[in-house]
Amino acid sequence: MIDNFKKLVRPNIQKLQPYESARRIGGQHGDVLLNANESPIFTPFELKKKIFNRYPECQPSDLISSYSEYAGVLPEQILATRGADEGIELLIKAFCDPGKDSIIYCPPTYDMYKINAKIAGITIKEVPSIKNTWQLDLFNIQLNLKNVKLLYICHPNNPTGNIISKGDLISLLEMTENRALIILDEAYIEFIPEKSMIFYLKKYSNLVILRTLSKAFALAGIRCGFILAHKEIIHILNKVISPYPISIPVSNIAIQSLSQRFIQIMKNRVSELNDNRIWLINELKQLSCVKKIFNSHTNYILVRFFMFEEIFNTFWKKGIILRKQNSKMNLEQCLRITIGTRAECFRVIQELKTFSAAFSKRGLA
Ligand code: PMP
């Protein structure tokens, strides 16, 4: 019986390797969770609404006006989504025809651009970013633009942690004007807000920005993100979004998080995590098991280790959960470490020190 159903599955889904989210890989294992780029610091919220018998507004107007005020863009330029992940998917749904259109993405980067394209049956053109600087390969992007409707660029990039050069982003926006949309994923932009391209929404109608409350706002659990774009693009996306994507509890908490008070708390949290990142990088520099540390402007760092597999496994057994990146293009021996509290960063360093000592003894470092 089950085999009969299997035959019904679309061939691209039969072949699909699903996204390995941190919770899918690790479940609830571990007590130091440094594998999902979540905030380790939280602020409790209280649900202000208690009655849920009615559907919510499709786009809760108070939420849209709160984000509009925070981001400085007009309400008609904003679409609220179930996390930035839903934004990635909606754009493909609205703009790409299977078997005809393509997307470009630049690995190593966030896997969901590729996975959503695969689910939708859209051709994927991979234009790897330049090794080690992780900047865009504009020359090869230009060569590959035929049939491309969407280009997904992660800024700052996950998992490498770098920002993309502003000059390159502007060249890309000009190169694709009137022919494709640049989807700039700013999920981590609050860790380096001065590099946001939000002001360019006015100038380039082909710029689309993805945002989320999951990272700096410490609200990964509520699933709330935003698409910022020209109002015509938002109008089109409104056609394909599900009828009630934002539940009442989600908008209630999201609106609170966008008040002046909570924005200040978010900024304090960002500066604490940025300090922890600097501390962690300085400590890592002194360890012999570390091969290379990539510069980061986010709440995670990418590190190439000697014997990374053993480090990952030992940490796992001790309940410190890191994220393997070695199967991604050009990231052999790399682990990604989310910036935790100072105590968690300290624990990482203490464990690595034991490792470094063992490596040195065995002559492996
Ligand atoms: N973009 C990037 C670059 C991410 O790292 C993530 C989360 N890992 C997302 C988007 C999705 O974020 P959200 O929780 O808002 O769906």
Side-chain angles (χ1 to χ4, degrees):
M1 187 64 179
I2 288 291
D3 279 348
N4 287 341
F5 286 127
K6 278 190 187 157
K7 282 194 303 213
L8 302 180
V9 178
R10 293 160 62 209
N12 56 331
I13 304 299
Q14 281 179 17
K15 281 188 283 181
L16 186 73
Q17 185 89 37
Y19 182 67
E20 298 203 312
S21 71
R23 287 302 112 77
R24 267 199 201 179
I25 306 170
Q28 297 298 326
H29 177 70
D31 59 346
V32 180
L33 300 179
L34 305 179
N35 61 342
N37 297 344
E38 297 148 320
S39 169
I41 312 162
F42 61 87
T43 320
F45 285 91
E46 211 177 292
L47 204 52
K48 299 260 163 66
K49 293 208 170 143
K50 312 266 187 232
I51 296 168
F52 306 115
N53 60 314
R54 299 287 178 196
Y55 284 118
E57 287 175 272
C58 174
Q59 288 291 297
S61 44
D62 290 352
L63 175 60
I64 298 294
S65 59
S66 300
Y67 203 79
S68 158
E69 207 172 301
Y70 164 67
V73 298
L74 296 170
E76 56 267 36
Q77 291 184 278
I78 303 174
L79 189 79
T81 55
R82 282 173 292 208
D85 276 336
E86 190 184 28
I88 296 169
E89 183 189 349
L90 286 178
L91 285 149
I92 292 186
K93 248 189 194 169
F95 287 96
C96 296
D97 256 338
K100 200 169 141 217
D101 299 327
S102 311
I103 67 147
I104 283 183
Y105 92 115
C106 305
T109 191
Y110 186 47
D111 283 334
M112 285 309 290
Y113 315 136
K114 170 179 77 179
I115 291 178
N116 275 297
K118 281 191 177 169
I119 292 171
I122 305 302
T123 308
I124 301 155
K125 297 193 186 180
E126 280 189 3
V127 182
S129 57
I130 295 158
K131 203 170 166 181
N132 291 334
T133 66
W134 316 121
Q135 293 299 312
L136 301 175
D137 180 350
L138 287 179
F139 180 75
N140 276 310
I141 288 179
Q142 185 149 33
L143 285 184
N144 278 286
L145 279 181
K146 191 161 180 261
N147 297 332
V148 168
K149 287 213 176 145
L150 306 176
L151 293 90
Y152 284 91
I153 310 292
C154 195
H155 169 73
N157 189 39
N158 176 10
T160 52
N162 62 293
I163 47 162
I164 310 294
S165 128
K166 182 173 164 183
D168 285 358
L169 289 173
I170 289 173
S171 302
L172 189 63
L173 285 161
E174 293 193 343
M175 184 196 295
T176 54
E177 222 168 358
N178 300 320
R179 64 189 285 189
L181 300 183
I182 301 300
I183 319 301
L184 202 60
D185 185 343
E186 290 194 345
Y188 299 93
I189 204 66
E190 277 85 5
F191 294 96
I192 179 152
E194 66 275 21
K195 297 291 178 185
S196 173
M197 292 294 283
I198 201 162
F199 307 110
Y200 288 90
L201 283 171
K202 275 202 187 93
K203 185 162 182 201
Y204 297 105
S205 55
N206 61 331
L207 174 61
V208 177
I209 292 181
L210 303 179
R211 292 284 188 88
T212 181
L213 299 185
S214 297
K215 308 299 178 183
F217 281 88
L219 285 174
I222 69 166
R223 315 300 302 120
C224 186
F226 300 90
I227 301 180
L228 315 176
H230 190 280
K231 66 178 194 298
E232 287 305 324
I233 295 177
I234 299 299
H235 177 71
I236 290 157
L237 295 171
N238 254 312
K239 290 185 176 187
V240 298
I241 199 164
S242 65
Y244 311 106
I246 309 293
S247 73
I248 293 169
V250 168
S251 60
N252 190 254
I253 288 166
I255 291 165
Q256 293 181 54
S257 80
L258 291 162
S259 66
Q260 283 306 320
R261 179 172 155 243
F262 279 103
I263 287 173
Q264 191 51 51
I265 291 174
M266 178 276 285
K267 288 183 178 166
N268 296 346
R269 188 187 301 125
V270 162
S271 85
E272 188 175 336
L273 291 172
N274 283 345
D275 285 349
N276 288 355
R277 182 185 68 232
I278 294 165
W279 182 86
L280 189 65
I281 290 176
N282 280 334
E283 293 289 319
L284 284 167
K285 278 183 184 161
Q286 295 162 43
L287 298 178
S288 58
C289 62
V290 172
K291 211 168 176 181
K292 187 172 172 69
I293 307 162
F294 293 93
N295 195 21
S296 168
H297 298 280
T298 60
N299 67 333
Y300 51 88
I301 48 177
L302 183 72
V303 185
R304 180 165 286 137
F305 285 102
F306 291 103
M307 300 181 83
F308 82 102
E309 191 90 46
E310 284 87 339
I311 293 177
F312 179 85
N313 291 337
T314 309
F315 271 53
W316 178 279
K317 282 186 203 132
K318 294 190 171 193
I320 306 169
I321 314 301
L322 308 179
R323 190 68 166 256
K324 280 187 188 173
Q325 298 294 331
N326 57 302
S327 58
K328 289 198 171 169
M329 184 177 287
N330 294 327
L331 298 190
E332 59 287 343
Q333 299 176 290
C334 286
L335 297 175
R336 194 192 65 195
I337 309 174
T338 300
I339 306 302
T341 59
R342 185 59 69 94
E344 289 172 332
C345 293
F346 190 75
R347 208 167 144 203
V348 167
I349 294 299
Q350 289 310 104
E351 294 295 343
L352 285 175
K353 275 186 180 160
T354 328
F355 248 98
S356 287
F359 291 163
S360 305
K361 248 196 204 151
R362 284 153 60 182
L364 288 165

